Amino acid sequence: LEIGGSVPETASLGEITLPQASVSDDATESPDVFVSVFDPYGKLTEVNNMRFTASYRGSYLVRYMAIDESGNTALREFTIKVG
C-alpha cells in the first residue's frame, strides 16, 4: 500500500486534502482501497474526492486500507493535528 505523497501532520480547521493511495497485488488486478477519517471524538468523517472537512480542533485519525479478493489487507494510519 503506497501513499502518493505526504499526509499533513498539522492543519487548520476547514478542508483538508489527502494524497491518493495505490496498491499492487499478485492475486488481484486492482485491490480495493478505502480511506477513512475519524474526528477527535472518534466519529467517522465523510471523505469525498480525497478531501474532508475538519470541524473540530484535535487529532484526526486517517486510515488507508486495501483489501484483495482473498481477503488479505494492508493498513496505514496517520494522525493529523488540527488547531
Side-chain angles (χ1 to χ4, degrees):
L1 179 59
E2 297 294 325
I3 309 302
S6 297
V7 174
E9 293 182 15
T10 60
S12 299
L13 290 170
E15 187 174 88
I16 298 172
T17 301
L18 300 171
Q20 294 285 341
S22 62
V23 65
S24 60
D25 186 72
D26 295 336
T28 305
E29 188 172 320
S30 296
D32 292 324
V33 178
F34 301 95
V35 179
S36 303
V37 175
F38 298 88
D39 72 15
Y41 301 101
K43 184 177 176 185
L44 187 63
T45 300
E46 185 175 351
V47 178
N48 286 314
N49 297 317
M50 300 307 292
R51 294 184 176 120
F52 73 96
T53 300
S55 301
Y56 307 102
R57 288 179 169 79
S59 295
Y60 284 72
L61 173 66
V62 179
R63 179 178 294 151
Y64 290 82
M65 186 169 67
I67 304 173
D68 70 10
E69 291 175 353
S70 299
N72 299 313
T73 61
L75 180 70
R76 302 267 318 264
E77 293 183 335
F78 301 90
T79 300
I80 301 174
K81 293 180 183 175
V82 173

